Amino acid sequence: LKESIVGSVDEFTSKHPFGNASNSFEGAKAWIDSPQALLTIGLLQIYHNNGLAEADATFNRVLESGHEFAAEAFYYKACIRMANFAAMRNNKSLLKISKKQEFKEDIPLAIEYFYKSRTAFVNRLERKEREASLVVQMIEKMRENNPKASGFAAQTKLVTTYIRLIVANIDFLLGS
């Protein structure tokens, strides 16, 4: 069993190189294709030398992979174009940026991305509500076989609450 595990790890690392200590991030981002991981990488890239271009490229990879996380990608693309983002980026004392390129605000583009993000979040909210309605109908028809229905309801309420909060935040930022 031990040899099997070691062999599978060796096979994985040979197909997915991390590079050395100085470029492990660059090596890993070449083969990572999970939208959630790419969103995190995009947020980290904001603090790189050419952060805006690098983060944009990564968020575009998320958008190209489908619509599941488009709302988040557009939201982050909008946030990094806001007026005070460059100052926030410069005030982060935990990260040292050498030869950093300036982030120029682009409010019209930020507004466009906020509207796209809002649309994607509202679509997700509507889809979640439709799915929940169907599940509730199924639970009512087969009540004796579904003792854990309350967990589903609580999870759905939590997810839809968070989506509504994000949409309200976008509306506030847009002045709607």
Side-chain angles (χ1 to χ4, degrees):
L1 179 65
K2 179 180 174 182
E3 290 85 21
S4 171
I5 293 171
V6 170
S8 68
V9 170
D10 288 342
E11 180 183 345
F12 178 85
T13 55
S14 69
K15 291 180 181 175
H16 304 90
F18 280 97
N20 58 39
S22 67
N23 72 352
S24 61
F25 180 75
E26 297 302 317
K29 79 175 187 184
W31 55 264
I32 291 175
D33 60 0
S34 163
Q36 300 95 321
L38 288 172
L39 288 169
T40 302
I41 288 170
L43 292 174
L44 292 171
Q45 287 174 318
I46 291 169
Y47 297 98
H48 286 193
N49 296 341
N50 190 14
L52 181 61
E54 291 180 28
D56 257 349
T58 300
F59 295 141
N60 287 339
R61 280 182 61 192
V62 173
L63 294 170
E64 291 164 4
S65 71
H67 298 287
E68 186 177 3
F69 290 92
E72 290 86 349
F74 281 126
Y75 184 82
Y76 295 141
K77 286 171 73 82
C79 287
I80 61 179
R81 286 168 171 80
M82 297 194 48
N84 293 325
F85 188 82
M88 185 279 306
R89 178 180 181 241
N90 292 336
N91 288 334
K92 281 291 198 187
S93 61
L94 297 175
L95 300 163
K96 303 233 187 285
I97 307 170
S98 60
K99 295 186 247 171
K100 62 184 168 214
Q101 295 188 6
E102 291 302 314
F103 272 45
K104 301 282 189 222
E105 68 183 55
D106 189 343
I107 301 302
L109 193 54
I111 290 170
E112 176 186 336
Y113 287 145
F114 274 132
Y115 276 118
K116 288 179 178 182
S117 176
R118 185 186 191 289
T119 300
F121 275 122
V122 168
N123 287 341
R124 184 184 302 164
L125 179 62
E126 290 171 352
R127 187 183 72 241
K128 293 279 184 203
E129 290 172 342
R130 282 192 309 271
E131 291 169 354
S133 174
L134 291 172
V135 170
V136 167
Q137 290 174 18
M138 290 173 51
I139 289 171
E140 288 175 356
K141 289 183 180 181
M142 303 182 299
R143 188 169 296 280
E144 69 279 352
N145 295 332
N146 295 292
K148 297 181 182 175
S150 62
F152 172 79
Q155 182 183 31
T156 301
K157 182 179 179 183
L158 192 64
V159 168
T160 56
T161 298
Y162 285 133
I163 294 172
R164 283 189 182 96
L165 285 172
I166 294 169
V167 170
N169 178 44
I170 293 170
D171 288 344
F172 174 78
L173 292 169
L174 292 172
S176 307

